[in-house]
Amino acid sequence: MAKEKSKKAHIVSLGKIRDKRGNLSVVEEGGSLPFEIARTYWIYDVPGGEHRGGHAYYKSEELIIALSGSFEVEVSDGKEERTFRLEHCDKALYVPAGVWRQLRNFATNSTALVVASTPYSARDYIRKKALFIDLKNRGEI
Ligand code: TYD
């Protein structure tokens, strides 16, 4: 994928290196990643019916991968909502800064790997949807 940033969430194909021993996929700066990696975290053991996310970031961009199992990511740019189902570990969802996201409908034993462009900062979170919409309407994010 090209290095330029997109304002919209979209699926990135990571590719799959296959041989008789199995498959291998890669996330690498300068490759399928449109940002430099500052942090990686993963979400797992999500009880049935639980949601994760439910926020946006001021600055952080993320790539989300279903390393195992499957789940949905609902994204909103304040006008349009889209739902992506992640279920293949050679596909990632790129989520730019300033996009509301919620992860839901986790299958049992799913693992969501998240690669982020910033270190963790509680101040980077927009946790109230009304504030998010307001900031969007004012063009501040
Ligand atoms: P949170 O981002 O709210 O989780 P999610 O968006 O997946 O529902 O984070 C849950 C808790 O973990 C919260 O107390 C902050 C902490 N946390 C870190 O300490 N470092 C991190 O990199 C992340 C993502 C969360």
Side-chain angles (χ1 to χ4, degrees):
M1 195 182 111
K3 247 210 146 182
E4 74 270 10
K5 290 179 186 174
S6 164
K7 296 276 181 207
K8 281 187 176 268
H10 61 269
I11 295 290
V12 176
S13 282
L14 302 175
K16 194 186 280 188
I17 301 165
R18 304 166 194 259
D19 67 39
K20 63 181 185 209
R21 299 165 301 161
N23 301 328
L24 184 153
S25 296
V26 185
V27 171
E28 185 174 26
E29 287 176 16
S32 51
L33 249 196
F35 54 80
E36 290 182 6
I37 300 169
R39 176 170 51 117
T40 303
Y41 62 92
W42 46 100
I43 297 166
Y44 54 100
D45 291 346
V46 178
E50 279 295 346
H51 300 174
R52 301 295 310 220
H55 53 71
Y57 299 114
Y58 287 100
K59 285 198 188 137
S60 195
E61 301 167 63
E62 290 188 336
L63 205 63
I64 306 174
I65 302 162
L67 271 195
S68 62
S70 65
F71 51 89
E72 291 172 351
V73 187
E74 185 184 296
V75 295
S76 170
D77 61 8
K79 291 188 181 127
E80 187 192 4
E81 287 186 0
R82 289 191 67 187
T83 300
F84 296 89
R85 177 143 202 99
L86 296 183
E87 55 189 342
H88 302 292
C89 51
D90 62 333
K91 304 274 185 244
L93 178 66
Y94 170 67
V95 185
V99 168
W100 192 267
R101 90 284 312 284
Q102 187 173 67
L103 283 65
R104 62 182 189 203
N105 291 335
F106 284 82
T108 307
N109 291 330
S110 294
T111 301
L113 177 72
V114 185
V115 180
S117 67
T118 63
Y120 173 72
S121 166
R123 283 176 302 174
D124 196 40
Y125 282 70
I126 306 164
R127 289 195 180 273
K128 295 208 161 87
K129 189 78 178 267
L131 172 62
F132 169 74
I133 299 289
D134 195 38
L135 291 167
K136 277 284 178 198
N137 288 340
R138 289 193 274 138
E140 292 181 18
I141 53 169

